Amino acid sequence: MSDRSPLALPFPPAPAIPGATPHIARARYKAWDRCDLTFVMLDPGTTVAGVLTQSKCPSPEVEWCRAALTLGTARALVVNAGNSNAFTGNRGRAAVEAIAARTAAHLGCQPSDVFVASTGVIGVPLPIDKAEAGLDAAFAAAPCSWEDAAATIMTTDTFTKGATTTAVIGDRTVTLVGIVKGSGMIAPDMATMLGFIFTDAAVEPAFLQAALSAANAPSFSCITVDSDTSTSDTVLAFATGKAGNVALSDDDSVGADAFRAALADLCHQLAMLVVRDGEGATKLIEVRVTGADSDLSAHRIAKSIANSPLVKTAIAGEDANWGRVVMAVGKAGEPAERDKLAIRFGDTQVAEGGLAVTGYDEAPVTAHLKGKEIEVGVDLGLGEGRATVWTCDLTHGYISINADYRS
Amino acid sequence: MSDRSPLALPFPPAPAIPGATPHIARARYKAWDRCDLTFVMLDPGTTVAGVLTQSKCPSPEVEWCRAALTLGTARALVVNAGNSNAFTGNRGRAAVEAIAARTAAHLGCQPSDVFVASTGVIGVPLPIDKAEAGLDAAFAAAPCSWEDAAATIMTTDTFTKGATTTAVIGDRTVTLVGIVKGSGMIAPDMATMLGFIFTDAAVEPAFLQAALSAANAPSFSCITVDSDTSTSDTVLAFATGKAGNVALSDDDSVGADAFRAALADLCHQLAMLVVRDGEGATKLIEVRVTGADSDLSAHRIAKSIANSPLVKTAIAGEDANWGRVVMAVGKAGEPAERDKLAIRFGDTQVAEGGLAVTGYDEAPVTAHLKGKEIEVGVDLGLGEGRATVWTCDLTHGYISINADYRS
């Protein structure tokens, strides 16, 4: 495992969520002596929503969850770390079905109430015997903390990632806890590698899905580590209803806005943690595009900048190389007029009107680039479209992790 | 300057092209003592064609050439190295106009017969005084070799890049010589960084343009080093007519097929040299996609694979990590069915039908990946669409060159 990311944050104090009880166990999917199977037991009445990868080559877990989400109810989440089970044909599908069947038998529920996610190497069928033995151990294990669960879903992650928040719904305060993993193969296309959110709020599935999709768009869908979209990206939100609020069902429900805001805040926190643990990351980069032809156009331009190896290496080198930002705007294929373009690093405008700002003060730019949180601002000068995307720098660490690793 | 690329090839013996005479000089655009200005004098009657970057933020040189190409005639090419003059506003445009005016005055031609290209840092106006002094020195200099010219247009390139071929047109044999530079910011969108082709054939401008565009599509437009499309990509072809063949004017001209084939061969050779000198490259990678829904779809999938940092680092690490190829196919957004996908490294099929080939022989795969020329084959199993794209691996060398460099 690599050194802890210099951008790491401590795991926050995370309260229990009534009705959602995590357990962990050793399935030993790899030759390691760490917990690698997470089982979260969900009480009857739990609703679920999810966003899943748009990859055309999804894992069988993703296909399973997509089908199960249509029912809107959940009794368990099982997460395997060390093996993504993606691209494994019938044997991979059989492994997911076996996990769901064994868990359903244990809980006395339908297999479709069991949600399964796996992360790790692609192309190796998940061994059913190890999964079943691991499940049995998890069923027998004492409940664990959310931080233990966050540690158990990690692969090349260097720190445990979680967030928590609350919302007031009528006379009840509901709690939300989320855990997430990330690191590499991160350019979520509707979701991130693996993220799980638990709340004791009572929420109808359709409303939960709408709120999650809305929260996902400006968070997980706006981060990129390496432009590589995983086959297994999954974000699931589970609502146990134990808080006893009147169930949220539509926009007019009491507390609907507060819950949506809390979920959006949680997703943003979790997404930032994924970028902070980007493989080899030493700097968190916020790319803010304004003045574009449309919000979608702004998003594409921001992604073009955030995915540019030349921009990411320049920031790794603490080099105010705004010419590479110009290049990335130019290649995005979106409406842009060179002579209306303005670029800033931090609060310092470095280029505008199609050329460098004459004699801009380099000191604050240099100071900004030496920090750990970098902001690149681009104004297109065309319209009202805006978007923000987060990424990390591209360093020797990324090469070491990915070129020196053997599958 | 970095060490010479391990994929470097020697500069080929390049014959003189009657009517096209290169000269080089020191304009000292940077604090270096090397030639950095190339002036190729073209005799009256020379025709020209070109393909230029699709960037929305092109350099003034690109805009100048785009306008001048509409006339179809050329008397000179001037190339500046060390400063791309891109994103420099009116001062950049003035520099291009000054170069064209001074060269036109020297040759007694129209400024629009002078083609200008520049490469190097973005955002610094090309100093007109240095350009003019450099031009005067070049006008006075003795003719040089094509290899000298190829050396003079280099920036972070580690070796001189040129190619030559011939074609029989009626009773004449015509010669083609091309020089090119590349290295970083290479994902040409219709052209590469800078490439120049000279022939003594007589060719009408429209036919030359059609032949160049056709030759560009499967060569320069099918290479990528880092997915970053330059603001200055330019390929120009000049035909002096000195070979005395009946001028090629359309598909029915005697020798039309032979000339097109020779031009296509030359562009392919030059494009491969650019990849071989990709920043930090240690392996040349050919990504061949077949069985796609269409040729365009195949091209997009091939580009998705060739631009994936995870695929490129896996190959740098000589790791047969075909799961990352699956990922890159899945994220391309093109029609794909996981369970019809087949993948090979070299001649060894490693995955097919949605899972790994059971017990495939790893020895030839390992041997193939230890070589310098790697072939990744992907068959989608859907249709007849096919495409081939070339790239290089992603190594510590790329990070060192781009993160440790200060603009």
Side-chain angles (χ1 to χ4, degrees):
Chain A
M1 183 164 297
S2 303
D3 290 342
R4 185 173 168 88
S5 167
L7 306 175
L9 295 180
F11 198 88
I17 299 291
T21 316
H23 308 74
I24 56 176
R26 287 172 172 75
R28 297 196 167 82
Y29 291 121
K30 298 182 76 170
W32 54 23
D33 185 39
R34 51 160 271 198
C35 287
D36 51 6
L37 186 147
T38 306
F39 162 62
V40 182
M41 191 170 69
L42 301 162
D43 285 5
T46 298
T47 58
V48 60
V51 284
L52 300 157
T53 186
Q54 299 295 304
S55 170
K56 295 292 173 61
C57 297
S59 69
E61 283 80 346
V62 166
E63 294 181 321
W64 176 269
C65 288
R66 188 167 282 136
L69 279 168
T70 61
L71 304 174
T73 58
R75 288 297 312 283
L77 167 69
V78 177
V79 186
N80 307 297
N83 185 329
S84 78
N85 196 37
F87 212 72
T88 54
N90 288 331
R91 289 175 62 195
R93 280 188 283 275
V96 177
E97 289 166 8
I99 288 169
R102 197 172 196 90
T103 307
H106 173 68
L107 295 174
C109 67
Q110 296 297 315
S112 58
D113 282 331
V114 180
F115 287 77
V116 186
S118 302
T119 171
V121 66
I122 292 173
V124 180
L126 194 77
I128 292 180
D129 54 344
K130 290 186 178 179
E132 292 185 333
L135 277 176
D136 291 346
F139 296 156
C144 68
S145 68
W146 291 118
E147 183 168 9
D148 288 340
T152 303
I153 67 172
M154 299 200 322
T155 54
T156 56
D157 303 65
T158 72
F159 66 94
T160 55
K161 293 179 278 294
T164 178
T165 189
T166 60
V168 175
I169 302 180
D171 59 353
R172 308 295 169 114
T173 296
V174 304
T175 304
L176 296 86
V177 166
I179 59 174
V180 68
K181 71 165 302 291
S183 290
M185 209 177 279
I186 301 291
D189 189 3
M190 299 309 290
T192 190
M193 190 78 183
L194 295 182
F196 306 106
I197 296 163
F198 305 90
T199 177
D200 55 359
V203 192
E204 295 292 337
F207 183 82
L208 187 60
Q209 182 63 54
L212 180 63
S213 295
N216 170 69
S219 59
F220 298 115
S221 284
C222 286
I223 63 172
T224 177
V225 166
D226 54 10
S227 80
D228 276 348
T229 303
S230 161
T231 52
S232 305
D233 292 336
T234 299
V235 173
L236 298 172
F238 301 95
T240 65
K242 296 293 180 184
N245 60 291
V246 178
L248 300 174
S249 61
D250 59 38
D251 293 354
D252 296 330
S253 299
V254 172
D257 288 345
F259 181 78
R260 272 193 299 236
L263 191 61
D265 171 51
L266 196 78
C267 286
H268 177 76
Q269 288 186 58
L270 294 171
M272 291 306 102
L273 291 170
V274 173
V275 179
R276 283 178 178 275
D277 207 6
E279 288 174 340
T282 67
K283 293 174 192 289
L284 173 66
I285 306 169
E286 177 174 304
V287 179
R288 191 174 290 206
V289 173
T290 54
D293 210 38
S294 67
D295 287 351
L296 179 61
S297 180
H299 181 78
R300 288 178 176 153
I301 291 168
K303 275 279 180 80
S304 178
I305 297 166
N307 281 328
S308 161
L310 288 172
V311 171
K312 292 156 80 88
T313 49
I315 291 175
E318 302 179 348
D319 177 15
N321 195 326
W322 55 267
R324 295 183 182 177
V325 179
V326 173
M327 174 282 299
V329 172
K331 76 167 180 168
E334 292 296 316
E337 287 182 36
R338 183 188 57 202
D339 297 347
K340 290 183 176 175
L341 198 56
I343 297 169
R344 67 181 165 80
F345 286 110
D347 295 326
T348 310
Q349 208 71 32
V350 296
E352 60 189 10
L355 68 171
V357 173
T358 308
Y360 72 82
D361 187 0
E362 290 191 20
V365 174
T366 303
H368 183 72
L369 289 171
K370 285 191 181 304
K372 286 183 176 171
E373 300 184 9
I374 309 299
E375 192 177 323
V376 179
V378 171
D379 190 88
L380 278 294
L382 298 179
E384 298 298 315
R386 54 175 56 232
T388 304
V389 161
W390 293 269
T391 188
C392 53
D393 53 343
L394 175 58
T395 67
H396 286 290
Y398 185 88
I399 306 293
S400 294
I401 293 167
N402 288 299
D404 305 345
Y405 158 89
R406 287 294 185 287
S407 60
Chain B
M1 184 162 298
S2 302
D3 290 344
R4 186 173 167 87
S5 167
L7 306 175
L9 295 179
F11 198 88
I17 299 290
T21 316
H23 309 74
I24 57 176
R26 287 171 174 74
R28 295 195 170 82
Y29 291 121
K30 298 182 74 171
W32 55 23
D33 185 39
R34 51 160 271 199
C35 287
D36 52 7
L37 186 147
T38 307
F39 162 62
V40 183
M41 192 170 68
L42 301 162
D43 285 4
T46 298
T47 58
V48 61
V51 284
L52 300 158
T53 185
Q54 298 295 304
S55 171
K56 294 292 173 61
C57 298
S59 69
E61 283 81 345
V62 166
E63 294 181 321
W64 176 270
C65 288
R66 188 168 281 136
L69 279 168
T70 60
L71 303 174
T73 57
R75 287 297 312 283
L77 168 69
V78 177
V79 186
N80 307 297
N83 185 329
S84 78
N85 196 37
F87 213 72
T88 53
N90 288 329
R91 288 176 62 195
R93 280 187 283 278
V96 177
E97 288 166 9
I99 288 169
R102 197 172 195 90
T103 308
H106 173 69
L107 295 174
C109 67
Q110 296 297 313
S112 58
D113 281 331
V114 180
F115 287 76
V116 186
S118 302
T119 171
V121 67
I122 292 173
V124 180
L126 194 77
I128 292 179
D129 54 344
K130 290 185 178 180
E132 292 184 335
L135 277 176
D136 290 346
F139 296 156
C144 69
S145 68
W146 291 117
E147 183 168 10
D148 288 339
T152 302
I153 67 173
M154 298 199 324
T155 54
T156 57
D157 304 64
T158 73
F159 65 94
T160 54
K161 293 179 276 295
T164 178
T165 187
T166 59
V168 174
I169 301 179
D171 59 352
R172 306 294 169 114
T173 296
V174 304
T175 304
L176 296 86
V177 166
I179 59 174
V180 70
K181 71 165 300 292
S183 290
M185 209 176 277
I186 300 291
D189 188 6
M190 300 308 291
T192 191
M193 192 75 182
L194 295 182
F196 306 106
I197 296 163
F198 305 89
T199 177
D200 56 358
V203 192
E204 296 290 338
F207 182 82
L208 186 60
Q209 182 64 52
L212 180 63
S213 295
N216 169 69
S219 60
F220 298 116
S221 285
C222 285
I223 63 172
T224 177
V225 166
D226 54 10
S227 80
D228 277 348
T229 303
S230 161
T231 52
S232 306
D233 293 335
T234 299
V235 173
L236 298 172
F238 301 95
T240 66
K242 297 291 179 185
N245 59 291
V246 177
L248 300 174
S249 61
D250 59 38
D251 293 353
D252 295 330
S253 298
V254 172
D257 288 344
F259 181 77
R260 272 193 298 237
L263 190 60
D265 171 51
L266 195 78
C267 286
H268 177 77
Q269 288 186 58
L270 294 171
M272 292 305 104
L273 291 169
V274 173
V275 179
R276 283 179 177 274
D277 206 6
E279 288 174 339
T282 67
K283 293 175 192 289
L284 173 66
I285 305 169
E286 177 174 305
V287 178
R288 191 173 290 207
V289 173
T290 55
D293 210 41
S294 67
D295 287 351
L296 179 61
S297 180
H299 180 78
R300 287 177 175 153
I301 291 168
K303 275 277 180 82
S304 178
I305 297 166
N307 280 329
S308 161
L310 288 172
V311 170
K312 292 157 81 88
T313 48
I315 291 175
E318 302 179 349
D319 177 15
N321 194 326
W322 55 267
R324 296 183 181 177
V325 179
V326 173
M327 175 281 300
V329 172
K331 76 166 180 169
E334 291 296 315
E337 287 182 35
R338 184 188 58 202
D339 297 347
K340 290 183 175 174
L341 197 57
I343 298 169
R344 67 181 165 78
F345 286 111
D347 295 326
T348 310
Q349 208 72 30
V350 296
E352 60 189 10
L355 68 173
V357 173
T358 309
Y360 72 82
D361 187 0
E362 290 191 22
V365 174
T366 303
H368 183 72
L369 289 171
K370 285 190 182 304
K372 286 184 177 170
E373 300 184 10
I374 310 299
E375 192 176 325
V376 179
V378 171
D379 190 87
L380 278 293
L382 297 179
E384 299 298 315
R386 53 176 56 233
T388 304
V389 161
W390 294 268
T391 189
C392 53
D393 53 344
L394 175 59
T395 68
H396 286 290
Y398 184 87
I399 306 293
S400 295
I401 293 167
N402 289 299
D404 305 344
Y405 157 89
R406 287 294 185 289
S407 60

